[in-house]
């Protein structure tokens, strides 16, 4: 592990080489060189840092970037990144001028949005690329097929718009294959109807990470991958055709060691009772940092319910099951008691050489980590001006 100041209580370690290798692997998996890869860098690149990841993505084979909000696209442009950037969410009236000025690509879900973009493009004397968003089952954004039919003439007669792409988004690609196939068929039907009328879209795209892995026949012209490039398989997808590397880890330090006697309880609600004399290490992380945020699944059946009850009983007897573990000096230590807002406890009674300041690897929800947590970027392959480890806040 690389050096971080001893007084830094929490930090994120981002392995940009791993991100780059994952991007190269996904790109290779799309073997036919004609399938483009859009690296999805929304939500601060899933907590990895928008700009370093965007630069890495573009040097390791991505063809375009995808974000949710216009301000993320503008941030990319202001740092000199000139790759195509698709904005996923619908625009608010007033946002279209920035889209045009910064050369971003809007997703169009209504005629009104298209009209405002067209007006902005004309004002600046430019043609602005747009992607037509189709609603096929996600139920959030995009034209319903019947609305699209009625509006098509108006849409495609608007000046200043370049209809570069058409896409839809899957609601349950990892789990529900019949629904995903239905979404895909509806999408293809619409694309075909347009083709018959002589309207072609150079970039047709539907796949997120799960669909890209499970349905190669749906790759079309481009896939939009987030999860995979950050080294994870989509939940519910088990057969990895890819060799993915871990990209992200969250570290904290022991800030206090506390002896606890057999029979003492730890934390709010007194949910954990100590069974033998031990040592508790206190960590400066809590649910505010995304620690212990993983949602408890609703029991899916009687067997599941039985497991939940067994866990509660074992927990009551002082054997926490399924409670989070952290890694300290290469050993797993259980989190004991409820995770607090900003402090948590682990039992280190059996682990030697624990001191105040010892680093601890913890599992936290990546996308909720605060921007104020410093990020240590590691890269050997120089993809941009900085090479080697670098600490940024
Ligand atoms: C987030 C997002 C993706 C990427 O999803 P992953 O499952 O992380 O690959 C693709 N397309 C759209 C429209 C998205 O919002």
């Amino acid at each position: 592990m690389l050096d971080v100041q001893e007084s830094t209580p929490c930090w994120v370690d981002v392995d940009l080489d791993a991100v780059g290798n994952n991007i190269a692997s996904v790109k290779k998996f799309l073997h036919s060189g004609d399938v483009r890869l859009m690296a999805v860098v929304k939500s601060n690149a899933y907590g990895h840092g928008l700009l370093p990841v965007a630069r890495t993505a573009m040097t390791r084979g991505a063809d375009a970037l995808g974000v949710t909000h216009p301000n993320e696209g503008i941030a990319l442009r202001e740092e000199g990144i000139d790759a195509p950037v698709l904005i996923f969410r619908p625009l608010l009236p007033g946002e279209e001028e920035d889209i045009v000025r910064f050369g971003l690509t809007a997703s169009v879900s209504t005629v009104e949005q298209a009209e405002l973009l067209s007006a902005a493009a004309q004002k600046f004397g430019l043609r602005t690329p747009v992607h037509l968003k189709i609603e096929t089952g996600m139920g959030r954004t995009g034209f319903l097929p019947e609305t699209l039919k009625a509006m098509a003439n108006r849409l495609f007669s608007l000046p200043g718009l370049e209809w570069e792409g058409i896409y839809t988004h899957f609601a349950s690609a990892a789990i529900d294959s019949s629904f995903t196939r239905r979404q895909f068929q509806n999408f293809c039907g619409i694309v075909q109807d347009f083709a018959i009328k002589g309207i072609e879209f150079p970039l047709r795209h539907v796949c997120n990470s799960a669909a890209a892995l499970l349905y190669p026949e749906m790759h079309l012209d481009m896939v939009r991958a987030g999860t995979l490039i950050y080294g994870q398989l989509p939940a519910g997808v088990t057969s990895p055709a890819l060799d993915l590397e871990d990209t992200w880890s969250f570290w904290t330090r022991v800030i206090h060691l506390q002896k606890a006697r057999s029979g003492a309880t730890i934390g709010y609600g007194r949910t954990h009772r100590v069974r033998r004399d031990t040592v508790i290490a206190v960590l400066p992380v809590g649910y505010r940092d995304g620690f212990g945020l993983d949602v408890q699944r609703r029991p899916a059946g009687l067997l599941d319910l039985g497991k939940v009850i067994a866990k509660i009983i074992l927990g009551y007897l002082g054997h926490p099951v399924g409670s989070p573990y952290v890694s300290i000096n290469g050993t797993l230590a259980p989190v004991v008691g409820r995770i607090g807002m900003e402090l948590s406890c682990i039992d280190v009674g059996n682990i030697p050489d624990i001191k105040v300041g010892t680093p601890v690897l913890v599992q936290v929800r990546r996308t909720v980590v605060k921007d104020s947590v410093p990020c240590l970027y590691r890269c050997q392959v120089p993809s941009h001006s900085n090479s080697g480890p670098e600490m940024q806040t």
Side-chain angles (χ1 to χ4, degrees), residues 38-42 46 66-68 86-89 107 133 138 140-141 167-170 173 205-212 223-230 234:
M38 171 179 285
V40 177
V41 294
K42 68 190 180 192
Y46 291 42
V67 294
T68 304
L86 180 63
I87 310 295
F88 294 143
R89 76 150 163 81
S107 300
K133 178 79 195 287
M138 183 69 176
R140 289 201 309 207
T141 65
Y167 77 105
T168 194
H169 195 36
F170 290 139
H205 49 107
V206 297
C207 286
N208 57 4
S209 290
V223 308
R224 310 182 301 266
T227 306
L228 293 178
I229 69 177
Y230 304 108

Side-chain angles (χ1 to χ4, degrees), residues 318-349:
H319 304 282
V321 179
S323 69
Y325 278 76
V326 301
S327 175
I328 180 166
N329 283 355
T331 305
L332 290 181
V335 175
V336 289
R338 270 189 207 152
I339 290 170
M341 188 185 291
E342 296 180 305
L343 294 177
S344 324
C345 297
I346 58 175
D347 189 327
V348 293

Side-chain angles (χ1 to χ4, degrees), residues 160-180:
L161 302 184
E162 185 189 327
W163 295 96
E164 177 192 82
I166 183 167
Y167 77 105
T168 194
H169 195 36
F170 290 139
S172 189
I175 294 162
D176 191 338
S177 65
S178 71
F179 191 73
T180 304

Side-chain angles (χ1 to χ4, degrees), residues 362-377:
V362 305
Q363 304 289 327
V364 308
R365 185 78 66 82
R366 299 164 166 193
T367 45
V368 303
V369 170
K370 302 276 180 298
D371 290 344
S372 56
V373 176
C375 236
L376 179 69
Y377 288 107

